[in-house]
Amino acid sequence: MQGVSLIEVMAALVVLSIGILGFTTLQTASLNFNSEAAQRTQATVLSSAMADRMRANRRAALNGEYNLASGSSTPDCSAIPSPCTIANQDIWRWRDSLQNRLPASTSAITRVGDEFTLTVTWDNSRGQQPPEQFQVTTSL
């Protein structure tokens, strides 16, 4: 009779520990999903801002000054006064913002007629999964 209460306490501790492990797993998954959502939001906001810059400088965009291949280099436009064109400054600022907010990000702008597709790719999983990609297409 005296050992029965000790077994009940141990069984309760086992059930409690399984519950705590389940809760921590749920919390970890929630944090990962929240991080992914925040990064996708950053890609959306930055791409929309770049599309707005292109609309403000429509003539240069239609002349191909905003065309940007993935992985291509852009001139450093951080000097004041900058020797860069407005389009180069916009691209430089966009890529700088992407690098600061999204891990291992690359970007591209492709044009078909009056439609421009802005593509942002970043690696959220540190090489464990394929990179995330966000695309937005806009007409000028």
Side-chain angles (χ1 to χ4, degrees), residues 54-76:
M54 292 170 65
R55 283 187 200 97
N57 196 5
R58 186 174 190 270
R59 184 172 306 218
L62 294 175
N63 287 337
E65 293 182 37
Y66 283 91
N67 295 352
L68 178 66
S70 180
S72 65
S73 63
T74 54
D76 183 6

Side-chain angles (χ1 to χ4, degrees), residues 26-70:
L26 181 67
Q27 189 70 12
T28 302
S30 173
L31 288 172
N32 286 337
F33 290 140
N34 192 24
S35 174
E36 289 175 15
Q39 290 176 352
R40 185 163 294 278
T41 300
Q42 286 296 320
T44 303
V45 168
L46 292 172
S47 295
S48 295
M50 185 61 182
D52 288 341
R53 288 184 190 137
M54 292 170 65
R55 283 187 200 97
N57 196 5
R58 186 174 190 270
R59 184 172 306 218
L62 294 175
N63 287 337
E65 293 182 37
Y66 283 91
N67 295 352
L68 178 66
S70 180

Side-chain angles (χ1 to χ4, degrees), residues 36 39-40 42-44 46-47 68-72 94-110 117-127 129-136:
E36 289 175 15
Q39 290 176 352
R40 185 163 294 278
Q42 286 296 320
T44 303
L46 292 172
S47 295
L68 178 66
S70 180
S72 65
W94 184 49
R95 282 193 157 174
D96 186 53
S97 295
L98 287 171
Q99 286 296 319
N100 289 333
R101 294 183 178 138
L102 298 174
S105 63
T106 59
S107 55
I109 301 173
T110 55
T117 302
L118 290 82
T119 305
V120 178
T121 306
W122 70 97
D123 187 7
N124 185 29
S125 67
R126 297 175 188 89
Q129 297 175 354
E132 296 281 333
Q133 187 174 40
F134 175 78
Q135 284 187 335
V136 62

